[in-house]
mmCIF file of all heavy atoms in Angstrom:
data_model
loop_
_atom_site.group_PDB
_atom_site.id
_atom_site.type_symbol
_atom_site.label_atom_id
_atom_site.label_comp_id
_atom_site.label_asym_id
_atom_site.label_seq_id
_atom_site.Cartn_x
_atom_site.Cartn_y
_atom_site.Cartn_z
ATOM 1 N N GLY A 935 36.441 26.425 -29.259
ATOM 2 C CA GLY A 935 35.021 26.741 -29.256
ATOM 3 C C GLY A 935 34.388 26.485 -30.613
ATOM 4 O O GLY A 935 33.258 25.984 -30.705
ATOM 5 N N HIS A 936 35.091 26.823 -31.685
ATOM 6 C CA HIS A 936 34.561 26.578 -33.025
ATOM 7 C C HIS A 936 34.444 25.080 -33.299
ATOM 8 O O HIS A 936 33.445 24.620 -33.876
ATOM 9 C CB HIS A 936 35.469 27.223 -34.062
ATOM 10 C CG HIS A 936 35.086 26.906 -35.475
ATOM 11 N ND1 HIS A 936 34.017 27.496 -36.118
ATOM 12 C CD2 HIS A 936 35.622 26.019 -36.373
ATOM 13 C CE1 HIS A 936 33.912 27.014 -37.337
ATOM 14 N NE2 HIS A 936 34.875 26.115 -37.516
ATOM 15 N N VAL A 937 35.454 24.310 -32.896
ATOM 16 C CA VAL A 937 35.425 22.857 -33.114
ATOM 17 C C VAL A 937 34.241 22.232 -32.399
ATOM 18 O O VAL A 937 33.489 21.428 -32.966
ATOM 19 C CB VAL A 937 36.744 22.212 -32.648
ATOM 20 C CG1 VAL A 937 36.618 20.688 -32.630
ATOM 21 C CG2 VAL A 937 37.890 22.625 -33.553
ATOM 22 N N VAL A 938 34.047 22.615 -31.140
ATOM 23 C CA VAL A 938 32.994 21.996 -30.335
ATOM 24 C C VAL A 938 31.604 22.466 -30.767
ATOM 25 O O VAL A 938 30.672 21.652 -30.876
ATOM 26 C CB VAL A 938 33.233 22.299 -28.843
ATOM 27 C CG1 VAL A 938 32.057 21.821 -27.999
ATOM 28 C CG2 VAL A 938 34.528 21.645 -28.370
ATOM 29 N N ASP A 939 31.453 23.745 -31.037
ATOM 30 C CA ASP A 939 30.124 24.303 -31.299
ATOM 31 C C ASP A 939 29.693 24.201 -32.754
ATOM 32 O O ASP A 939 28.499 24.062 -33.039
ATOM 33 C CB ASP A 939 30.080 25.783 -30.880
ATOM 34 C CG ASP A 939 30.290 25.963 -29.388
ATOM 35 O OD1 ASP A 939 29.960 25.025 -28.642
ATOM 36 O OD2 ASP A 939 30.801 27.024 -28.977
ATOM 37 N N THR A 940 30.625 24.274 -33.686
ATOM 38 C CA THR A 940 30.260 24.356 -35.105
ATOM 39 C C THR A 940 30.847 23.221 -35.934
ATOM 40 O O THR A 940 30.113 22.524 -36.646
ATOM 41 C CB THR A 940 30.739 25.704 -35.693
ATOM 42 O OG1 THR A 940 30.193 26.780 -34.924
ATOM 43 C CG2 THR A 940 30.304 25.830 -37.144
ATOM 44 N N GLU A 941 32.158 23.032 -35.843
ATOM 45 C CA GLU A 941 32.806 22.082 -36.742
ATOM 46 C C GLU A 941 32.385 20.646 -36.486
ATOM 47 O O GLU A 941 32.299 19.845 -37.427
ATOM 48 C CB GLU A 941 34.330 22.210 -36.604
ATOM 49 C CG GLU A 941 35.090 21.377 -37.627
ATOM 50 C CD GLU A 941 36.574 21.670 -37.618
ATOM 51 O OE1 GLU A 941 37.266 21.190 -36.688
ATOM 52 O OE2 GLU A 941 37.033 22.377 -38.521
ATOM 53 N N TRP A 942 32.113 20.308 -35.245
ATOM 54 C CA TRP A 942 31.768 18.923 -34.935
ATOM 55 C C TRP A 942 30.487 18.503 -35.651
ATOM 56 O O TRP A 942 30.421 17.416 -36.236
ATOM 57 C CB TRP A 942 31.619 18.740 -33.429
ATOM 58 C CG TRP A 942 31.846 17.326 -33.011
ATOM 59 C CD1 TRP A 942 30.914 16.360 -32.824
ATOM 60 C CD2 TRP A 942 33.112 16.707 -32.755
ATOM 61 N NE1 TRP A 942 31.502 15.183 -32.468
ATOM 62 C CE2 TRP A 942 32.854 15.369 -32.418
ATOM 63 C CE3 TRP A 942 34.423 17.165 -32.780
ATOM 64 C CZ2 TRP A 942 33.866 14.471 -32.105
ATOM 65 C CZ3 TRP A 942 35.440 16.283 -32.474
ATOM 66 C CH2 TRP A 942 35.160 14.951 -32.143
ATOM 67 N N LYS A 943 29.482 19.358 -35.641
ATOM 68 C CA LYS A 943 28.225 19.045 -36.336
ATOM 69 C C LYS A 943 28.441 19.015 -37.850
ATOM 70 O O LYS A 943 27.915 18.140 -38.546
ATOM 71 C CB LYS A 943 27.145 20.066 -35.974
ATOM 72 C CG LYS A 943 25.780 19.751 -36.562
ATOM 73 C CD LYS A 943 24.748 20.764 -36.126
ATOM 74 C CE LYS A 943 23.353 20.377 -36.636
ATOM 75 N NZ LYS A 943 23.300 20.189 -38.096
ATOM 76 N N HIS A 944 29.217 19.967 -38.352
ATOM 77 C CA HIS A 944 29.501 19.989 -39.790
ATOM 78 C C HIS A 944 30.254 18.730 -40.212
ATOM 79 O O HIS A 944 29.982 18.154 -41.277
ATOM 80 C CB HIS A 944 30.322 21.231 -40.131
ATOM 81 C CG HIS A 944 30.714 21.315 -41.572
ATOM 82 N ND1 HIS A 944 29.862 21.766 -42.549
ATOM 83 C CD2 HIS A 944 31.881 20.989 -42.211
ATOM 84 C CE1 HIS A 944 30.463 21.724 -43.720
ATOM 85 N NE2 HIS A 944 31.694 21.256 -43.545
ATOM 86 N N MET A 945 31.181 18.292 -39.386
ATOM 87 C CA MET A 945 31.951 17.087 -39.681
ATOM 88 C C MET A 945 31.066 15.854 -39.694
ATOM 89 O O MET A 945 31.218 14.960 -40.537
ATOM 90 C CB MET A 945 33.070 16.946 -38.645
ATOM 91 C CG MET A 945 34.057 15.840 -38.932
ATOM 92 S SD MET A 945 35.456 15.884 -37.777
ATOM 93 C CE MET A 945 34.594 15.770 -36.205
ATOM 94 N N ALA A 946 30.093 15.804 -38.769
ATOM 95 C CA ALA A 946 29.179 14.671 -38.725
ATOM 96 C C ALA A 946 28.239 14.662 -39.923
ATOM 97 O O ALA A 946 27.883 13.595 -40.440
ATOM 98 C CB ALA A 946 28.373 14.703 -37.428
ATOM 99 N N ASP A 947 27.834 15.838 -40.390
ATOM 100 C CA ASP A 947 26.873 15.920 -41.500
ATOM 101 C C ASP A 947 27.531 15.715 -42.858
ATOM 102 O O ASP A 947 26.964 15.052 -43.734
ATOM 103 C CB ASP A 947 26.161 17.273 -41.479
ATOM 104 C CG ASP A 947 25.271 17.442 -40.249
ATOM 105 O OD1 ASP A 947 24.886 16.410 -39.664
ATOM 106 O OD2 ASP A 947 24.979 18.604 -39.877
ATOM 107 N N SER A 948 28.715 16.307 -43.048
ATOM 108 C CA SER A 948 29.329 16.300 -44.382
ATOM 109 C C SER A 948 30.590 15.455 -44.483
ATOM 110 O O SER A 948 31.110 15.252 -45.580
ATOM 111 C CB SER A 948 29.655 17.737 -44.808
ATOM 112 O OG SER A 948 30.607 18.312 -43.924
ATOM 113 N N GLY A 949 31.119 14.984 -43.355
ATOM 114 C CA GLY A 949 32.321 14.158 -43.394
ATOM 115 C C GLY A 949 33.595 14.925 -43.665
ATOM 116 O O GLY A 949 34.583 14.346 -44.140
ATOM 117 N N GLU A 950 33.631 16.219 -43.347
ATOM 118 C CA GLU A 950 34.834 17.022 -43.548
ATOM 119 C C GLU A 950 34.886 18.149 -42.535
ATOM 120 O O GLU A 950 33.861 18.527 -41.960
ATOM 121 C CB GLU A 950 34.866 17.596 -44.972
ATOM 122 C CG GLU A 950 33.684 18.485 -45.296
ATOM 123 C CD GLU A 950 33.709 18.988 -46.728
ATOM 124 O OE1 GLU A 950 34.540 18.488 -47.516
ATOM 125 O OE2 GLU A 950 32.909 19.876 -47.051
ATOM 126 N N VAL A 951 36.082 18.682 -42.313
ATOM 127 C CA VAL A 951 36.255 19.791 -41.380
ATOM 128 C C VAL A 951 35.951 21.100 -42.104
ATOM 129 O O VAL A 951 35.814 21.140 -43.329
ATOM 130 C CB VAL A 951 37.682 19.792 -40.799
ATOM 131 C CG1 VAL A 951 37.924 18.538 -39.976
ATOM 132 C CG2 VAL A 951 38.718 19.906 -41.908
ATOM 133 N N THR A 952 35.866 22.186 -41.336
ATOM 134 C CA THR A 952 35.496 23.481 -41.913
ATOM 135 C C THR A 952 36.734 24.298 -42.265
ATOM 136 O O THR A 952 37.798 24.148 -41.652
ATOM 137 C CB THR A 952 34.627 24.279 -40.924
ATOM 138 O OG1 THR A 952 35.404 24.546 -39.737
ATOM 139 C CG2 THR A 952 33.392 23.493 -40.544
ATOM 140 N N GLU A 953 36.580 25.170 -43.224
ATOM 141 C CA GLU A 953 37.668 26.091 -43.581
ATOM 142 C C GLU A 953 37.912 27.103 -42.461
ATOM 143 O O GLU A 953 39.043 27.534 -42.246
ATOM 144 C CB GLU A 953 37.321 26.816 -44.881
ATOM 145 C CG GLU A 953 37.251 25.899 -46.098
ATOM 146 C CD GLU A 953 36.964 26.673 -47.368
ATOM 147 O OE1 GLU A 953 36.837 27.916 -47.279
ATOM 148 O OE2 GLU A 953 36.872 26.052 -48.440
ATOM 149 N N ARG A 954 36.838 27.461 -41.755
ATOM 150 C CA ARG A 954 36.987 28.383 -40.639
ATOM 151 C C ARG A 954 37.875 27.788 -39.551
ATOM 152 O O ARG A 954 38.733 28.477 -38.977
ATOM 153 C CB ARG A 954 35.608 28.726 -40.074
ATOM 154 C CG ARG A 954 35.612 29.586 -38.818
ATOM 155 C CD ARG A 954 36.227 30.945 -39.076
ATOM 156 N NE ARG A 954 36.142 31.794 -37.892
ATOM 157 C CZ ARG A 954 36.834 32.914 -37.734
ATOM 158 N NH1 ARG A 954 37.653 33.327 -38.694
ATOM 159 N NH2 ARG A 954 36.712 33.633 -36.643
ATOM 160 N N GLY A 955 37.698 26.515 -39.262
ATOM 161 C CA GLY A 955 38.538 25.852 -38.275
ATOM 162 C C GLY A 955 39.998 25.820 -38.702
ATOM 163 O O GLY A 955 40.903 26.036 -37.887
ATOM 164 N N THR A 956 40.224 25.569 -39.982
ATOM 165 C CA THR A 956 41.595 25.582 -40.492
ATOM 166 C C THR A 956 42.226 26.965 -40.339
ATOM 167 O O THR A 956 43.398 27.099 -39.977
ATOM 168 C CB THR A 956 41.602 25.159 -41.971
ATOM 169 O OG1 THR A 956 41.006 23.849 -42.097
ATOM 170 C CG2 THR A 956 43.013 25.108 -42.507
ATOM 171 N N ALA A 957 41.435 28.007 -40.626
ATOM 172 C CA ALA A 957 41.943 29.372 -40.495
ATOM 173 C C ALA A 957 42.250 29.716 -39.037
ATOM 174 O O ALA A 957 43.265 30.368 -38.739
ATOM 175 C CB ALA A 957 40.935 30.353 -41.071
ATOM 176 N N LEU A 958 41.385 29.287 -38.121
ATOM 177 C CA LEU A 958 41.612 29.581 -36.703
ATOM 178 C C LEU A 958 42.858 28.873 -36.184
ATOM 179 O O LEU A 958 43.631 29.448 -35.404
ATOM 180 C CB LEU A 958 40.384 29.168 -35.886
ATOM 181 C CG LEU A 958 39.140 30.043 -36.057
ATOM 182 C CD1 LEU A 958 37.949 29.424 -35.322
ATOM 183 C CD2 LEU A 958 39.391 31.457 -35.540
ATOM 184 N N LEU A 959 43.067 27.632 -36.608
ATOM 185 C CA LEU A 959 44.279 26.935 -36.184
ATOM 186 C C LEU A 959 45.513 27.578 -36.817
ATOM 187 O O LEU A 959 46.576 27.646 -36.178
ATOM 188 C CB LEU A 959 44.201 25.456 -36.562
ATOM 189 C CG LEU A 959 45.331 24.578 -36.002
ATOM 190 C CD1 LEU A 959 45.299 24.582 -34.476
ATOM 191 C CD2 LEU A 959 45.238 23.165 -36.528
ATOM 192 N N GLY A 960 45.371 28.065 -38.043
ATOM 193 C CA GLY A 960 46.479 28.786 -38.664
ATOM 194 C C GLY A 960 46.844 30.048 -37.910
ATOM 195 O O GLY A 960 48.022 30.422 -37.837
ATOM 196 N N LYS A 961 45.852 30.682 -37.329
ATOM 197 C CA LYS A 961 46.115 31.880 -36.525
ATOM 198 C C LYS A 961 46.889 31.520 -35.256
ATOM 199 O O LYS A 961 47.801 32.255 -34.844
ATOM 200 C CB LYS A 961 44.800 32.555 -36.166
ATOM 201 C CG LYS A 961 44.963 33.930 -35.535
ATOM 202 C CD LYS A 961 43.621 34.602 -35.298
ATOM 203 C CE LYS A 961 43.802 35.985 -34.688
ATOM 204 N NZ LYS A 961 42.493 36.644 -34.412
#
Side-chain angles (χ1 to χ4, degrees):
H936 174 76
V937 169
V938 173
D939 296 333
T940 304
E941 187 171 76
W942 204 265
K943 185 178 184 305
H944 178 81
M945 188 173 57
D947 294 338
S948 63
E950 60 183 10
V951 296
T952 63
E953 294 182 1
R954 175 63 176 165
T956 302
L958 288 173
L959 188 62
K961 190 175 181 182

